[in-house]
Amino acid sequence: MNLLPTEEQQQIVDMVRGFLAASAPLERLRPDKFGQIGNPDAALWPKMAELGILGLGVPEEGGGLGLSAVEEALTYIEFGRALVSVGVLGATLGAHLAARTMPDIAAAIMAGTSAVGLATPRGTVAGDDGIFSGEFHLIEANEADFIVLLTSDAIALFRRDEFMGQSERLSMDSHMRLMRAALESGKPLSWSSVKDGIDHARANLLIAAYATGVAEAALAGAVDYAKVREQFGKPIGSFQAIKHKCADMAIAAEVASCQVSFASVILSKNSDESRFHALASRIVAVDAALKNGATGIQVHGAIGFTAEVEAHLFVKRAHLIDFIGGDQRVQKGQFIGADAVI
Amino acid sequence: MNLDYTAEDEIFRAEAREWLDANIPREVRPPDGPGMREFDLGWQRKQFEGGWAGVSWPVEYGGRGLSLTHQLIWYEEYAKAGGPNAELLFVGCNHAAPTIMARGTDEQKSYHLPKILSGEVAWCQGFSEPNNGSDLGGLKCRAEIVGDELVVNGSKIWTSSAHLADWQELLVRTDPAAPKHKGISWVICDMQTPGIELRPILIMTAPGHHHFNQVFYTDVRIPLSNVVGEVNDGWNVAMSTLGFERGTAGMLENIRYGAVVERLVDMARQRLGASALENDDIGQRLAQLRAEVTAVRAMTYRIASRAAIAPPGSEVSLARAFFSQLQQRIRRIALDIIGPDSIELPEDDPWIRPYLRTYSNTIAAGTSEIQRNIIGERVLGLPR
């Protein structure tokens, strides 16, 4: 038993972190004007494809690197820290769903040549035996060939043109593109329910890992600021009112990170406990992202409320990921109905 | 990362389970007094005779010399089997013994460690003082060196089970002129020494009202050879123990609380109906608690993983601060599930007593506020 990254796993983290520091620094998200500025990360996909990141956890026989959910979760923490466009989630999940039966599609996704958007329900979804109907939000779908739909009990890969009435919408998270669309008895290319294996649990785990990264980055920003900002002749981080807020942020991030690690190992074993641990990780990690995003602004004071620092970006992204596949209320409803894992 | 256990680990687990099934006390643990002392020490003796008392203790001190993973497996099986919370043993096994192992002389080790492990003696703690709680480093209980003895005068407070203990780990000021953290010594004190008097302090739950004591020392003579570590280096000696208490020693409780939450989930399903629970406020809060207590297990595993490389440091305060508040929220929700009739439950009710007890969790072994100072300053590097 060991819940710390191995040397090889740490090398992957360092590689991804180094790549993102060079190619996707947080400063890229500081707008010089307000309004919807869209996804700044589409240009990253081919580079990430070259590094193998988009098919990291896809089995080698499916054209991926054949690593496990542990390595996937570790990279998603880095994606969250850098606020990489959540379109990456479409690519990872889409590649997994396609790899088993549609190798050409999987190859195009992993090569970064076919983008995959995300669909998340706006209300109830009627889904019988792989036929889906309902109203959805599409995220990063404008140039996508495919869409991964995530509901509280299924995950499905569609061609984008299955979705009808696509119309653009604005979002408070101005670094992404949003649409509304509908499915009327839409038939996916591939799908699996929460009861079939770990596809669905993987989606929750990776959302949790991303949220953990958001929580960690919000913490790091707040702590850095609290060390240098002075009031009453002292750094504000010396005051317990601020220090304890930072400590609470650190606790929330640690809780999330530990459970994400634990769940990732459970998933890598294809265990029956995957759903339970992935849901637990999602609940604590999204909670951490939301709380740390909000507390980060407060620690910064007035500047935290401006577009001149990154603090606000974490709050906006935390709200976006909360809603993908069902918000905390939905996830907690699922989790309280799940069988105990002792 | 892995959660794999070796074949040898699995054999160990099976043996632990089998022994616990056959030996766990069937009688209810007395809440207080000599009966409680007899129960806890008797249970410790039984575990010692079965070879389970010191799983991760070094072999030279009578333990099995196994890893912290084995200790974790033992705690998991102990919690699953419903083993008693033998609190009287906590200070001796989890505080005094690791400190003596780390800093004691050969004589101190060979005299005290076997007695602690085999359940011959109970220990209590003498750290906090009436005017020095969170500001522990400012403690005033004075010990003058006279010949080869320390002469102690002063007072300690919040001493759990001082009235049932044989020995005390005592922090005293041996150099009042030195800066406050540099004039303290960590001393082994025999509780039968003349000049020690106790005043019971009743706590807010029954039974077991008499839990705390104030301890008064009047010209109490302690051999100088009872100092652990160097004279005036007691602060460093004490800190090594607190790190241990905040880290590995809490593992059993962390694991035990998962079962408490599942009992609450079952109770809520029965009272409110499983399907109504999904959208009910109580169901939502319970789901949050269930996720958090699941994460505590993961935190415990990470602490054990780190401990295999280096002794626990300040980062264990993250888990400690989180878990102590989580325990309060877990115990609190029982009242909401039971509903209005919870006001007719007495202090000794199986849900009320542990609920009330959790109020001490965010105070003992460093308040939540002190834990946050430690996290802020030593983990995050914020200025003092």
Side-chain angles (χ1 to χ4, degrees):
Chain A
M1 187 282 294
N2 187 352
L3 219 51
L4 298 173
T6 62
E7 214 168 293
E8 292 78 14
Q9 287 164 348
Q10 191 57 46
Q11 281 168 3
I12 293 172
V13 169
D14 293 343
M15 183 270 284
V16 174
R17 189 174 290 184
F19 166 71
L20 292 172
S23 309
L26 278 179
E27 296 84 67
R28 79 195 187 286
L29 303 177
R30 283 195 196 168
D32 43 20
K33 61 180 190 299
F34 276 96
Q36 217 69 11
I37 63 171
N39 173 10
D41 292 343
L44 290 180
W45 303 154
K47 292 192 212 166
M48 286 169 73
E50 255 174 61
L51 294 169
I53 294 174
L54 297 181
L56 194 82
V58 174
E60 282 175 288
E61 58 270 29
L65 288 189
L67 295 172
S68 75
V70 174
E71 288 81 9
E72 284 187 310
L74 287 169
T75 57
Y76 265 76
I77 291 174
E78 298 307 314
F79 296 162
R81 293 177 74 103
L83 295 176
V84 169
S85 157
V86 295
V88 72
L89 193 59
T92 300
L93 299 173
H96 273 287
L97 284 171
R100 274 167 234 145
T101 52
M102 297 167 292
D104 295 348
I105 294 177
I109 295 171
M110 287 185 281
T113 50
S114 269
V116 187
L118 289 167
T120 179
R122 292 179 53 220
T124 45
V125 179
D128 282 330
D129 247 2
I131 306 294
F132 294 85
S133 298
E135 303 275 335
F136 304 94
H137 279 128
L138 303 186
I139 298 163
E140 301 300 6
N142 301 48
E143 276 119 42
D145 298 322
F146 304 101
I147 301 286
V148 167
L149 167 64
L150 186 65
T151 72
S152 58
D153 54 12
I155 181 167
L157 178 68
F158 290 87
R159 288 195 187 282
R160 175 157 73 105
D161 50 22
E162 283 284 329
F163 285 82
M164 332 243 290
Q166 297 173 20
S167 66
E168 295 231 30
R169 287 292 185 279
L170 299 179
S171 170
M172 70 168 152
D173 186 339
S174 56
H175 299 98
M176 65 114 176
R177 286 164 302 177
L178 184 68
M179 289 196 283
R180 280 190 184 181
L183 284 175
E184 286 176 20
S185 302
K187 204 172 169 322
L189 295 165
S190 167
W191 76 289
S192 73
S193 92
V194 73
K195 298 182 206 78
D196 315 326
I198 64 165
D199 287 327
H200 192 271
R202 186 194 323 277
N204 281 333
L205 172 70
L206 297 185
I207 288 168
Y210 189 101
T212 301
V214 173
E216 289 180 357
L219 164 67
V223 168
D224 285 349
Y225 188 74
K227 284 177 183 173
V228 297
R229 169 70 176 168
E230 293 194 1
Q231 285 291 278
F232 307 103
K234 288 180 184 173
I236 59 169
S238 66
F239 301 118
Q240 289 187 341
I242 298 297
K243 187 176 287 173
H244 290 190
K245 278 189 164 60
C246 293
D248 283 334
M249 293 171 82
I251 292 168
E254 176 78 359
V255 170
S257 149
C258 287
Q259 179 57 25
V260 163
S261 292
F262 193 96
S264 72
V265 179
I266 295 284
L267 262 79
S268 72
K269 293 282 183 195
N270 237 322
S271 157
D272 294 343
E273 299 179 359
S274 296
R275 182 186 180 226
F276 183 95
H277 280 288
L279 273 171
S281 68
R282 178 173 175 147
I283 290 167
V284 295
V286 171
D287 193 45
L290 288 164
K291 278 186 188 155
N292 284 12
T295 309
I297 291 180
Q298 184 67 23
V299 168
H300 277 81
I303 195 90
F305 186 67
T306 72
E308 294 186 10
V309 294
E310 286 98 13
H312 68 116
L313 300 172
F314 303 120
V315 173
K316 292 169 179 173
R317 188 55 54 85
H319 282 296
L320 173 65
I321 55 177
D322 178 25
F323 280 105
I324 298 174
D327 67 2
Q328 289 282 70
R329 187 184 58 79
V330 172
Q331 305 304 336
K332 288 177 189 176
Q334 294 288 310
F335 190 52
I336 202 62
D339 289 335
V341 167
I342 298 273
Chain B
M1 293 184 211
N2 71 81
L3 296 169
D4 302 335
Y5 293 101
T6 62
E8 184 260 325
D9 290 340
E10 294 298 352
I11 292 168
F12 176 84
R13 186 185 290 279
E15 286 171 0
R17 188 174 298 172
E18 195 184 331
W19 188 87
L20 283 161
D21 276 349
N23 290 287
I24 223 147
R26 304 289 162 209
E27 62 274 28
V28 175
R29 177 178 182 267
D32 190 14
M36 182 258 268
R37 178 185 152 100
E38 207 26 66
F39 180 96
D40 283 4
L41 291 179
W43 171 229
Q44 180 70 11
R45 272 196 295 280
K46 205 166 177 182
Q47 292 177 87
F48 176 72
E49 284 156 14
W52 299 100
V55 171
S56 58
W57 278 39
V59 177
E60 54 185 307
Y61 307 133
R64 305 230 332 223
L66 298 173
S67 71
L68 213 53
T69 303
H70 290 90
Q71 187 68 64
L72 194 62
I73 293 171
W74 167 254
Y75 284 152
E76 285 182 338
E77 293 307 318
Y78 189 101
K80 271 185 211 162
N85 185 6
E87 282 178 301
L88 184 67
L89 306 168
F90 189 87
V91 172
C93 292
N94 293 315
H95 243 261
T99 307
I100 292 170
M101 279 180 213
R103 303 295 299 270
T105 62
D106 289 343
E107 290 72 28
Q108 289 164 348
K109 288 175 187 172
S110 61
Y111 183 82
H112 288 287
L113 295 176
K115 288 184 167 56
I116 293 171
L117 195 64
S118 63
E120 265 183 67
V121 293
W123 280 63
C124 63
Q125 189 181 60
F127 282 15
S128 293
E129 297 181 6
N131 291 315
N132 291 90
S134 289
D135 183 13
L136 182 63
L139 63 88
K140 293 171 194 72
C141 186
R142 179 80 173 95
E144 266 184 281
I145 300 173
V146 179
D148 56 359
E149 287 181 327
L150 291 168
V151 181
V152 179
N153 282 286
S155 174
K156 293 286 172 179
I157 200 164
W158 318 130
T159 306
S160 300
S161 301
H163 54 302
L164 301 173
D166 306 288
W167 297 93
Q168 182 178 47
E169 46 173 24
L170 179 61
L171 286 182
V172 289
R173 184 154 303 278
T174 32
D175 185 355
K180 69 178 186 177
H181 292 105
K182 305 227 159 115
I184 295 170
S185 298
W186 199 107
V187 185
I188 300 169
C189 172
D190 180 346
M191 291 301 283
Q192 300 309 313
T193 317
I196 295 179
E197 281 174 284
L198 303 181
R199 175 177 76 86
I201 301 174
L202 303 187
I203 59 168
M204 62 187 269
T205 61
H209 269 303
H210 184 189
H211 175 84
F212 285 138
N213 301 271
Q214 184 170 1
V215 187
F216 299 93
Y217 309 81
T218 311
D219 293 330
V220 172
R221 305 183 88 85
I222 301 174
L224 202 51
S225 57
N226 279 16
V227 173
V228 173
E230 303 298 312
V231 170
N232 293 333
D233 194 34
W235 182 258
N236 290 327
V237 176
M239 285 305 105
S240 59
T241 351
L242 283 184
F244 194 88
E245 176 171 359
R246 286 165 188 160
T248 48
M251 282 180 179
L252 175 59
E253 273 301 282
N254 298 359
I255 294 162
R256 195 195 295 268
Y257 256 76
V260 175
V261 170
E262 291 311 323
R263 287 215 305 279
L264 288 165
V265 171
D266 288 343
M267 184 161 83
R269 281 176 180 160
Q270 277 168 20
R271 283 172 183 255
L272 301 161
S275 60
L277 205 55
E278 282 187 23
N279 288 306
D280 188 272
D281 171 61
I282 285 179
Q284 292 276 309
R285 281 166 55 206
L286 256 182
Q288 178 80 30
L289 297 172
R290 197 186 206 188
E292 289 177 346
V293 85
T294 304
V296 165
R297 179 173 158 203
M299 297 175 94
T300 306
Y301 278 44
R302 187 177 277 178
I303 289 169
S305 305
R306 283 200 190 112
I309 305 167
S314 307
E315 78 287 345
V316 296
S317 283
L318 293 163
R320 163 84 198 174
F322 178 67
F323 185 55
S324 54
Q325 290 185 320
L326 177 60
Q327 283 175 296
Q328 287 176 347
R329 286 184 289 126
I330 289 170
R331 290 299 185 179
R332 167 73 177 78
I333 202 171
L335 277 66
D336 294 326
I337 296 169
I338 295 165
D341 285 354
S342 57
I343 55 172
E344 48 177 72
L345 298 175
E347 274 177 273
D348 63 351
D349 176 84
W351 286 111
I352 299 298
R353 182 170 185 255
Y355 162 62
L356 294 174
R357 284 294 291 268
T358 59
Y359 279 91
S360 72
N361 295 2
T362 46
I363 300 166
T367 62
S368 294
E369 290 70 29
I370 290 293
Q371 306 287 349
R372 279 167 175 72
N373 284 352
I374 292 169
I375 294 166
E377 288 158 21
R378 297 190 219 153
V379 179
L380 301 176
L382 292 168
R384 287 178 62 86

